[in-house]
Structures are given as structure tokens and as C-alpha cells.
Amino acid sequence: QALSVAPGLDYYGKLAAMYQAKRDRLLTGLHSAGLTPILPQGTYFIMVDISTLPFADDVAFCHFLTSEVGVAAIPPSAFYMDPADGAGLARFAFCKSDAELEMAIQRLQAWRR
């Protein structure tokens, strides 16, 4: 029943708009923190190019973020057949509450200052 009612309530349009707003907020926040995000086109993850940052790889960067900055990111090298292909990237999820996204952005900006 829910699937037949959802289109009439514009459920899917509202859902897409909500995730796009979250995506755009995190993209702006990552840029403002001096990071280089890659615009996603079909997921609720944003990849960031970390290849110019002074970390050995994505695992070291993500460990640092979690332990020192208080922001969790996912090291994507684990998803690559050759982990070196993902070592210069970090993956951030934007399927979070607005408050969580704002807190992460503030922490990233403070770290980059």
C-alpha cells in the first residue's frame, strides 16, 4: 500500500530534495574547510581528494580525523581491488541529521584553521 500512495504524496521528490540539500551542505562545508570534494551523482557519500594532505594514506587520514578531530570518514581503499587506487581519497556520508552534519563541518573547519 505504501508504495502505491507514495507518488501521490510526492514522497520520492521530497526524499530526493532532502538528500540533495544534505549533499550540498556537506559539499559547501568540505570546500570551506579547504578540502577537495568530488560531486557524487547517485549515492549519499562524498569522496574527498586527500592526496595532497600530509598523510600516508586514507587509513591514516581517517584514523586521524576520528581520533583527533572527532569526525568519522571511511577509508575507501578497502573497497578497491588494489587498495592503492583508493589511498588518496576519503569517503564522507551525508545521510546524517542536519545537526550532525553541522557539527562535523565546524570541527573540520576548526582543524583546517
Side-chain angles (χ1 to χ4, degrees), residues 38-63:
I38 301 165
L39 178 67
Q41 297 191 22
T43 180
Y44 46 77
F45 296 103
I46 297 175
M47 298 288 257
V48 172
D49 181 352
I50 60 164
S51 62
T52 61
L53 298 178
F55 294 92
D57 57 22
D58 59 326
V59 174
F61 175 74
C62 291
H63 178 73

Side-chain angles (χ1 to χ4, degrees), residues 17-97:
M18 177 198 67
Y19 278 118
Q20 183 169 342
K22 290 178 182 293
R23 180 203 69 189
D24 293 347
R25 177 68 188 113
L26 186 56
L27 276 170
T28 299
L30 292 166
H31 275 295
S32 72
L35 297 170
T36 306
I38 301 165
L39 178 67
Q41 297 191 22
T43 180
Y44 46 77
F45 296 103
I46 297 175
M47 298 288 257
V48 172
D49 181 352
I50 60 164
S51 62
T52 61
L53 298 178
F55 294 92
D57 57 22
D58 59 326
V59 174
F61 175 74
C62 291
H63 178 73
F64 170 81
L65 277 186
T66 303
S67 62
E68 302 299 322
V69 180
V71 174
I74 303 156
S77 61
F79 301 110
Y80 286 80
M81 184 172 291
D82 180 356
D85 292 339
L89 300 167
R91 183 172 148 173
F92 292 85
F94 58 84
C95 54
K96 306 287 181 185
S97 72

Side-chain angles (χ1 to χ4, degrees), residues 93-106:
F94 58 84
C95 54
K96 306 287 181 185
S97 72
D98 291 339
E100 287 174 306
L101 290 174
E102 188 57 36
M103 185 182 307
I105 291 164
Q106 289 176 5

